[in-house]
Amino acid sequence: MILEPLPAGQDIPAPVLTEITALYASNREFFALSGDFPDPDDIRPEQVAAALAEDLAHPDAEVLLARGSGQLAGLVGTRAHHPDPADPDPWIGLLLVDAGRHGQGLGRRMAQLVEDRFREAGRDAVRLAVLENNPKGLAFWTALGYECIARRPDRALGRPCAVLRKVLRTPRRAARIAVLDPEGSVFLFRYDNPEVGVHWALPGGGLEPDETPREGALRELREETGWSDLDTGPLLCTWEHDFTRFDVPVRQHEHIYVTHGPRREPTGPGLAAAHAQDGILTGRWWSRRELAQEAEPVWPPGLARMLDEREA
């Protein structure tokens, strides 16, 4: 799927306007809630053209057409800045998906592409408003990680709305290794992150651009522990989580591997500096019983259960 902007200051070509009008008409349920058109059962090209012309006349606005295999799948409107100067974030306005293709993940993909555009432009969050009488819309956006920050009427028609916001996190690839000693204990490092607080995690970290997860996991293990005689072993799981790294909000996707090795402590030159740079406070071996109790949060959650299931 690609997003194509409608050119500003130009009439919409008739074939394109016909496509967009059909898209609007397919979303009769939404427009019955919004009241944007006099008759949601009879949305006409001239009405759609007038609504889009108003958006396209704004210097901060974009109207983006979502196409896949040449077919119009959806439309999304954005604003680079809100009229309120106290609002620092860009906005997503209307997002429509062809009603005949609902449930295929197209809306989620369109939202992701818009977020990517804002992220590439250096923006660190995005907002939108959902009509209070649109619970389906609210469920859709909250499932994508948007959080309600206010409730107020919209500026155009005074309709009750929920204002939602999402931090645009930087995607990051990482890999870690669960090293088990002969008794089944696992080695963990303790961190104190400004966003998520104190937690314990396996040795590992972010991947270099040209690294595979297995290569990165072994490199990180060597750098953080000095252990260079282990292999990654089989994949235990993958998972994603949010945290802040060097003041940058991150969404991290991790590969977790499991291997066996002797019980020993990290050793080697430069470990203290490497731990300080990565925010590692300390490290120790956890018995399986201690791990199951998790006195402090352990990443990934449920590590003890996954290790037990693997060995069952």
Side-chain angles (χ1 to χ4, degrees):
M1 178 186 291
I2 60 172
L3 296 181
E4 299 176 345
L6 276 176
Q10 300 180 23
D11 291 337
I12 302 172
V16 177
L17 182 58
T18 298
E19 287 182 297
I20 298 174
T21 303
L23 171 68
Y24 275 54
S26 75
N27 283 273
R28 186 255 173 220
E29 180 181 358
F30 170 76
F31 288 114
L33 295 175
S34 71
D36 288 318
F37 297 99
D39 183 355
D41 292 310
D42 185 24
I43 298 176
R44 302 179 180 181
E46 59 269 22
Q47 295 171 328
V48 174
L52 293 176
E54 183 177 348
D55 288 335
L56 292 170
H58 197 286
D60 283 336
E62 271 196 315
V63 177
L64 304 167
L65 302 182
R67 293 191 180 276
S69 302
Q71 301 296 314
L72 182 65
L75 174 148
V76 58
T78 68
R79 290 284 180 96
H81 301 91
H82 192 270
D84 183 354
D87 182 345
D89 300 325
W91 279 66
I92 296 175
L94 181 66
L95 187 149
L96 290 178
V97 175
D98 185 336
R101 302 181 67 181
H102 284 180
Q104 299 180 15
L106 298 179
R108 177 184 293 269
R109 179 59 178 152
M110 289 167 58
Q112 181 182 9
L113 291 173
V114 171
E115 292 168 5
D116 289 345
R117 290 169 69 93
F118 284 138
R119 188 182 294 107
E120 291 167 3
R123 314 302 292 271
D124 56 15
V126 60
R127 301 189 192 197
L128 53 88
V130 178
L131 296 172
E132 292 281 14
N133 63 352
N134 185 11
K136 289 183 179 179
L138 184 61
F140 170 79
W141 290 109
T142 54
L144 297 187
Y146 287 77
E147 299 180 352
C148 183
I149 60 171
R151 296 184 182 275
R152 61 174 185 250
D154 73 345
R155 297 172 67 94
L157 299 174
R159 299 167 294 188
C161 291
V163 178
L164 279 64
R165 184 176 190 264
K166 180 179 181 178
V167 174
L168 296 179
R169 296 182 176 274
T170 299
R172 186 172 188 251
R173 298 164 58 242
R176 299 184 183 276
I177 301 180
V179 180
L180 305 181
D181 75 0
E183 301 299 322
S185 295
V186 61
F187 189 84
L188 298 171
F189 284 121
R190 189 173 190 258
Y191 296 81
D192 188 1
N193 184 266
E195 179 179 353
V196 300
V198 172
H199 62 282
W200 293 80
L202 300 164
L207 304 183
E208 301 293 343
D210 58 346
E211 278 185 323
T212 67
R214 289 186 181 275
E215 291 170 342
L218 285 176
R219 176 186 52 76
E220 287 284 338
L221 179 68
R222 182 176 63 253
E223 292 175 358
E224 293 181 348
T225 66
W227 305 337
S228 59
D229 56 344
L230 301 178
D231 200 354
T232 52
L235 180 68
L236 180 67
C237 70
T238 62
W239 79 300
E240 291 187 348
H241 61 98
D242 296 337
F243 71 108
T244 297
R245 180 175 183 271
F246 302 143
D247 297 326
V248 177
V250 169
R251 178 71 172 177
Q252 183 152 292
H253 179 85
E254 293 187 352
H255 283 67
I256 308 293
Y257 300 94
V258 59
T259 193
H260 294 80
R263 188 183 183 103
R264 54 188 167 178
E265 298 303 315
T267 184
L271 284 188
H275 289 181
Q277 180 179 356
D278 291 340
I280 295 174
L281 304 179
T282 188
R284 71 175 179 90
W285 291 91
W286 287 52
S287 70
R288 195 66 59 84
R289 182 177 179 181
E290 290 175 319
L291 192 63
Q293 294 173 345
E294 292 191 8
E296 293 180 326
V298 171
W299 291 0
L303 178 60
R305 173 187 53 78
M306 287 188 286
L307 292 173
D308 288 343
E309 290 176 352
R310 178 182 172 274
E311 295 175 356

